[in-house]
Amino acid sequence: MPKAQETAVYTHGHHESVLRSHTWRTAANSAAYLLGALKPHMRILDIGCGPGTITADLAALVPDGHVTGVDRAEDVLGQARDTAAARGLTNTDFAVADVHALEYPDDSFCVVHAHQVLQHVGDPVQALREMRRVTKPGGYVAVRDSDYAAMIWYPASPGMDDWQDVYRRVARANGGEPDAGRRLKSWALAAGFTDVTATSATWTFSSPQERAWWSGLWADRTLASAYADRAVEGGHATPEQLRAVSRAWREWGRQEDGWFAVLHAEILCRKDA
């Protein structure tokens, strides 16, 4: 197996404001493009499982199969195990792993899934090669990533323009690619896939409740998460600038006509039989 090659730093970390978003994710709102391919007996590897909400949903959809959730951060796996246990799932397990060098034999899984992962890794093509390697012939690699430059909102906000600029610079300084979405198909082809179905979908936040939730988590993340620390330590923003960005998020969240869309690219790659 290849030697681990991860060089990127996870931009967000696992502050409460980050997990507030991650625990909202479900198979329905984050992996709908994959669900039609699932069969009850399948064995699934969920890369970058985080707190395990999508993992648990996938496990419920393959009652005669098994789902392994892996993440680089050991601390978040405890929450993932608790999520599965709370739902009474017995067909899951969790482990620490580096997607660049997965410690699983060739042809181990029917499906390898990764949600919002490739934007944070140092070598996304190598990651896809590894995902392909551990997938059984005829199986699927399913990947979904957002694209920060393609995120749009209304009303216009100079402070949120600053957020978008600072975030993208911090993510790239950490070794990732924040505009991963538009690159997924290209990366998959470079990794050796020949059967790639590329689609897209959005999250949209517009109702008062949605605006309050989305603006609140980003206002908090801008001040208190690992992203905030790296923004300051890397010289990408001052604490005063981050406070201004945080205020801009909260101001946007109070706008009755506020609207925000997150574009995601999705690839469903079939491994040659």
Side-chain angles (χ1 to χ4, degrees), residues 222-268:
T222 298
L223 295 180
S225 69
Y227 153 66
D229 295 337
R230 289 160 186 153
V232 173
E233 292 166 2
H236 304 289
T238 65
E240 292 76 16
Q241 288 170 324
L242 292 183
R243 285 193 287 271
V245 168
S246 180
R247 289 193 299 271
W249 268 109
R250 294 196 185 280
E251 182 178 350
W252 170 83
R254 291 190 290 268
Q255 302 305 308
E256 184 178 358
D257 57 350
W259 181 90
F260 196 108
V262 179
L263 176 68
H264 299 88
E266 305 157 340
I267 50 170
L268 191 61

Side-chain angles (χ1 to χ4, degrees), residues 37-61:
L38 298 184
K39 306 297 181 187
H41 68 278
M42 283 182 160
R43 181 175 175 84
I44 300 173
L45 179 64
D46 188 21
I47 305 284
C49 67
T53 51
I54 297 175
T55 318
D57 283 353
L58 294 175
L61 293 169

